[in-house]
Amino acid sequence: MSSLPASEGPEARPSGSDLCTACGLCCTGLLFDIAPLEEQELPRAEGLRLPLACNQYHDAFRLPCPCHHDRKCTVYEARFSVCKSYECGLLRRCKEGEVPLGEALARVERVLRLADAVRRRVPPEDPPRPLWDEAREHIRERDAADTSPAWRAERESLVAALEELRAACRQGLDP
């Protein structure tokens, strides 16, 4: 991810696919916890066994998206309308030429590194939930079970890593 795609020079404006396919953070639950669906998309979402979150106001599915594996969408060619239309602030600024593609990719890489570092410290849940939720639950459970100085130091370090990740998401990606 640190090098530009072969089709893009350092000053070229991307179509969006280079940055989006290098990122995928909107699918992971790091930026949002649900993705809205159009009513006509519900049967397909049910068929894909997406974790639905429907109520009287909206139809949606919970993130992380189970169709997102190894930073790739397994249904990309037939993805849902929200997935086709969403553009984070970083992508918009990149497409407008305000942020060069190389810089945008570097921002994404930084967030991915920070998220991976936090993920290694937080046990995954089944079914998966957004990293923020899993981290909060891990801290709550450990706080209840462990009052040792070692856990307090680890907790402080984990909270700092989460704060750094949150700042990198907000400042670097502008969801």
Side-chain angles (χ1 to χ4, degrees):
M1 219 180 321
S2 59
S3 63
L4 294 175
S7 63
E8 300 286 342
E11 301 304 318
R13 291 186 187 177
S15 65
S17 62
D18 289 328
L19 186 59
C20 289
T21 57
C23 181
L25 289 166
C26 54
C27 306
T28 67
L30 202 59
L31 305 180
F32 309 101
D33 58 357
I34 63 167
L37 291 166
E38 300 294 328
E39 187 174 348
Q40 67 272 17
E41 294 174 319
L42 278 174
R44 185 160 170 270
E46 290 171 342
L48 289 170
R49 299 177 161 246
L50 296 183
L52 297 179
C54 302
N55 62 35
Q56 65 194 33
Y57 304 108
H58 64 78
D59 298 319
F61 64 94
R62 289 184 182 85
L63 298 171
C65 179
C67 298
H68 190 254
H69 297 283
D70 299 322
R71 298 194 174 131
K72 300 288 182 233
C73 178
T74 60
V75 296
Y76 187 81
E77 294 304 319
R79 62 198 185 280
F80 295 97
S81 58
V82 67
C83 306
K84 291 176 186 174
S85 64
Y86 175 72
E87 291 187 351
C88 69
L90 178 61
L91 175 60
R92 288 191 304 273
R93 289 194 313 278
C94 190
K95 287 172 72 173
E96 292 166 4
E98 295 175 35
V99 177
L101 178 58
E103 180 184 331
L105 289 168
R107 290 182 188 187
V108 166
E109 179 61 33
R110 178 169 185 262
V111 171
L112 289 169
R113 275 195 320 272
L114 291 170
D116 286 346
V118 169
R119 169 56 59 211
R120 286 190 297 273
R121 298 168 70 177
V122 175
E125 295 183 8
D126 189 26
R129 295 185 339 181
L131 180 57
W132 308 111
D133 295 344
E134 290 184 0
R136 192 171 27 256
E137 182 66 16
H138 172 65
I139 290 169
R140 188 190 67 71
E141 287 176 359
R142 286 289 305 271
D143 281 349
D146 188 349
T147 60
S148 71
W151 164 242
R152 285 195 301 268
E154 166 62 18
R155 183 189 199 283
E156 185 176 315
S157 172
L158 179 55
V159 168
L162 286 163
E163 289 171 357
E164 183 180 11
L165 175 58
R166 187 174 305 278
C169 287
R170 288 182 177 156
Q171 296 164 3
L173 303 178
D174 186 24

